[in-house]
Amino acid sequence: MKSHKVKQGDCFSSITKQYGFHDPEVIYSDPANSSLKAKRKNMHLLKKGDVVKIPDKVPKKETCPCDAKSKFKAKGFITQLKIIVEDFSGNAFSGMNYTLDLEGTIYEGKTTSAGLVEQKIDAQAMQGTITIWLDNKKKNLIKWPLKIGSLDPHDDNAGVQARLNNLGYSCGKVDGRIDKQTKQTLKVFKSNNGLADDDVLDDTTKNKIEAVYGF
């Protein structure tokens, strides 16, 4: 059995493709990964340095008549990207055209009424940009950079900073350091969400950030 040491940007979808499997659940739910699964409830939120055990492949056999044509379909290596886009007041960018550029592959569509962008993408895509067009003539826009798979777990300092940044609370650089700017941001977030009027990053605050962010 191989071991994979997680790098920044890895998730079970990208690891699954790397090792030639078709379903992330096969690796995630393997008994050898039970302790990791207990620690990482969401398979797409891994932390750099985590170790994933890669099970040995088991050949799949199918019986079919030798005097007839048989068709077999190989499962692809794609995953689902979901992004909610909102303004700074929390209002959804609903029904707006978007352009998603992931490492040179372009996807286009419209956001849902909830501001959801939902797109099937290559499982190993790691970065790109999303553009929201604010008018039908595509003259006015808002663009965000994307780092897919790089979000750390919610109880990690870097995971806290990234979520706050994405929610519109500016922590600055996502480096895991709870510096003056991050503390000021924590104080504003806590005040806006009915928590203690301080800049302490405790479990209650981490859990609240996870709840507001969605995961």
Side-chain angles (χ1 to χ4, degrees), residues 161-180:
Q161 290 175 317
R163 284 169 176 78
L164 288 173
N165 280 347
N166 290 346
L167 288 169
Y169 296 90
S170 179
C171 290
K173 187 177 180 180
V174 177
D175 57 9
R177 295 175 57 248
I178 306 302
D179 55 14
K180 183 178 179 180

Side-chain angles (χ1 to χ4, degrees), residues 60-94:
K60 184 177 181 180
K61 296 182 179 180
E62 295 286 349
T63 301
C64 58
C66 61
D67 56 349
K69 291 183 178 180
S70 300
K71 182 183 289 187
F72 297 93
K73 182 180 289 188
K75 293 187 177 180
F77 299 96
I78 58 175
T79 191
Q80 196 84 355
L81 177 68
K82 295 182 180 180
I83 303 171
I84 294 286
V85 285
E86 300 174 336
D87 63 21
F88 286 110
S89 298
N91 301 308
F93 284 115
S94 117

Side-chain angles (χ1 to χ4, degrees), residues 125-141:
M126 296 183 68
Q127 59 185 355
T129 59
I130 181 169
T131 301
I132 300 295
W133 301 98
L134 302 178
D135 56 80
N136 290 329
K137 293 182 178 180
K138 294 188 175 181
K139 291 185 176 181
N140 299 302
L141 61 89

Side-chain angles (χ1 to χ4, degrees), residues 106-171:
I106 306 297
Y107 308 88
E108 294 184 319
K110 275 185 178 290
T111 62
T112 68
S113 59
L116 173 66
V117 172
E118 189 170 11
Q119 182 67 57
K120 290 181 179 179
I121 65 170
D122 186 283
Q124 288 186 310
M126 296 183 68
Q127 59 185 355
T129 59
I130 181 169
T131 301
I132 300 295
W133 301 98
L134 302 178
D135 56 80
N136 290 329
K137 293 182 178 180
K138 294 188 175 181
K139 291 185 176 181
N140 299 302
L141 61 89
I142 300 178
K143 181 180 288 189
W144 290 276
L146 298 175
K147 291 185 177 181
I148 301 168
S150 66
L151 184 67
D152 286 317
H154 82 283
D155 55 357
D156 182 85
N157 287 351
V160 166
Q161 290 175 317
R163 284 169 176 78
L164 288 173
N165 280 347
N166 290 346
L167 288 169
Y169 296 90
S170 179
C171 290

